[in-house]
Amino acid sequence: MSDKKNASLSVLDLAPIPQGATARDAFHTSLAMAQQAEKLGFNRYWLAEHHNMTGIASAATSVLIGYLAANTNTLKLGSGGVMLPNHAPLVIAEQFGTLESLYPGRIDLGLGRAPGSDQRTMMALRRHMSGHIDNFPADVEEIVGWFDAEPGKAPAVQPVPGLGLKIPVWLLGSSLYSAQLAAKLGLPFAFASHFAPDMLFQALHLYRENFKPSARLAQPHAMVCVNVVAADSERDARFLFTSMQQQFVNLRRGQPGPLPAPVENMDNLWSPSEQYGVQQALSMSIVGDLDKVRHGLSALMRETQADEIMVNGQIFDKEARLRSFALTMEAYRSL
């Protein structure tokens, strides 16, 4: 058990589309996941923006958040994240202002700097707009400024709704850039170690050492995202995990597609170099039975001293996916 009080536990959902399924099926699974997460006591439920990927259904992130919020009662919902270079900041402020107005106190806005897609798709998203990742710090400050505006001090351009709604804003990252920016702006920070673990500890150190208190946050607040695949036996968990491994092999080959069905053996499906690369990318994964997940979560909290842990699980079968998250919460509660 960690020396620090247990970090809260949350869910990251990419709304995966398994082979043979549709986006509609993925949305229904996400709703079942969100309703279970609320029942089990998960802290947050975030959805991630991706585009031009036939295996991920959460491209219209704010729309999907609204669907889940309308069919839950207390669960905090948010973006993990919205890729801000793809959008005009005013539109994002309006979208999340609308969500916050409909579901007050339940909405988070997590912002990322990467496009979440390939270059051609990014051009299709922003076509004639001048958005660029170099504008990211100013765009973040503009959104925070709108959300924190005081009554009677409306700027010439304002999000309606959104102005003055104090919506929580997080910065997300898989490198050092957003860690440093979150520290400078006094915002909470989430690290995407579920697919890019290499700089996790360096990013957490930079964020904590350079944090400047703000009106929003008095001290650093860090979240770490990892993959968790839990089952009743370690063998079953390893079997389920092969779907995610295959998905990463396909991504590295430039052939993204629906989430593959699990297989008994990966040996014939990847080369030695692909195996090394995928295992490195997915090294922050806890895969096993209840006891192994318990020990994995405990070690993660102890080593990172994270304030929050977020878990992702790309699992082919809906019932196995629900079972995995239920076991993960059971393991967490036993710490």
Side-chain angles (χ1 to χ4, degrees), residues 285-303:
S285 300
I286 303 170
V287 182
D289 59 12
L290 182 67
D291 190 54
K292 185 160 186 180
V293 172
R294 181 190 302 114
H295 286 293
L297 290 174
S298 177
L300 180 68
M301 293 177 192
R302 182 177 62 252
E303 292 166 8

Side-chain angles (χ1 to χ4, degrees), residues 121-133:
T121 305
M122 188 177 179
M123 290 296 294
L125 286 163
R126 292 290 301 240
R127 288 185 189 272
H128 306 298
M129 300 173 70
S130 60
H132 193 274
I133 59 172

Side-chain angles (χ1 to χ4, degrees), residues 17 30 44 53 55 67 82 140 179 227 233-234 254 264 292 294 307 309 314 329:
I17 305 173
S30 289
R44 307 177 195 278
M53 298 186 72
Y67 169 61
V82 162
V140 171
N227 303 299
S233 71
E234 183 160 352
E264 291 290 346
K292 185 160 186 180
R294 181 190 302 114
D307 300 286
I309 302 294
Q314 301 285 84
M329 177 54 79

Side-chain angles (χ1 to χ4, degrees), residues 18 25-33 35-36 240 259 315-325:
D25 297 326
F27 297 148
H28 290 167
T29 297
S30 289
L31 178 57
M33 287 270 298
Q35 289 173 334
Q36 176 183 266
L240 296 173
L259 183 67
I315 296 173
F316 182 82
D317 179 75
K318 175 182 176 180
E319 294 307 317
R321 192 165 180 233
L322 289 166
R323 176 65 174 158
S324 177
F325 280 90

Side-chain angles (χ1 to χ4, degrees), residues 190-205:
F191 192 86
S193 47
H194 61 295
F195 72 88
D198 291 353
M199 296 185 182
L200 169 61
F201 292 99
Q202 189 178 356
L204 291 176
H205 176 76

Side-chain angles (χ1 to χ4, degrees), residues 152-307:
K153 296 183 178 180
V157 176
Q158 59 179 287
V160 181
L163 194 74
L165 292 187
K166 311 293 185 186
I167 299 167
V169 175
W170 290 68
L171 292 193
L172 283 53
S174 57
S175 64
L176 305 181
Y177 182 93
S178 289
Q180 294 176 88
L181 183 60
K184 178 183 177 182
L185 299 181
L187 295 175
F189 172 62
F191 192 86
S193 47
H194 61 295
F195 72 88
D198 291 353
M199 296 185 182
L200 169 61
F201 292 99
Q202 189 178 356
L204 291 176
H205 176 76
L206 267 177
Y207 171 63
R208 289 164 176 155
E209 286 296 309
N210 295 285
F211 183 83
K212 296 180 179 178
S214 69
R216 284 183 159 248
L217 198 60
Q219 58 188 16
H221 190 90
M223 178 192 291
V224 173
C225 185
V226 297
N227 303 299
V228 178
V229 177
D232 293 318
S233 71
E234 183 160 352
R235 184 182 183 279
D236 288 348
R238 289 286 168 193
F239 174 68
L240 296 173
F241 188 51
T242 61
S243 291
M244 197 182 307
Q245 291 174 316
Q246 292 177 78
Q247 186 179 52
F248 270 66
V249 170
N250 293 338
L251 282 171
R252 286 169 177 266
R253 292 174 179 173
Q255 301 169 346
L259 183 67
V263 295
E264 291 290 346
N265 194 319
M266 285 289 297
D267 288 348
N268 296 325
L269 299 179
W270 56 14
S271 68
S273 61
E274 288 173 333
Q275 179 180 359
Y276 175 82
V278 170
Q279 289 178 340
Q280 176 64 24
L282 297 178
S283 62
M284 293 296 287
S285 300
I286 303 170
V287 182
D289 59 12
L290 182 67
D291 190 54
K292 185 160 186 180
V293 172
R294 181 190 302 114
H295 286 293
L297 290 174
S298 177
L300 180 68
M301 293 177 192
R302 182 177 62 252
E303 292 166 8
T304 65
Q305 292 292 294
D307 300 286

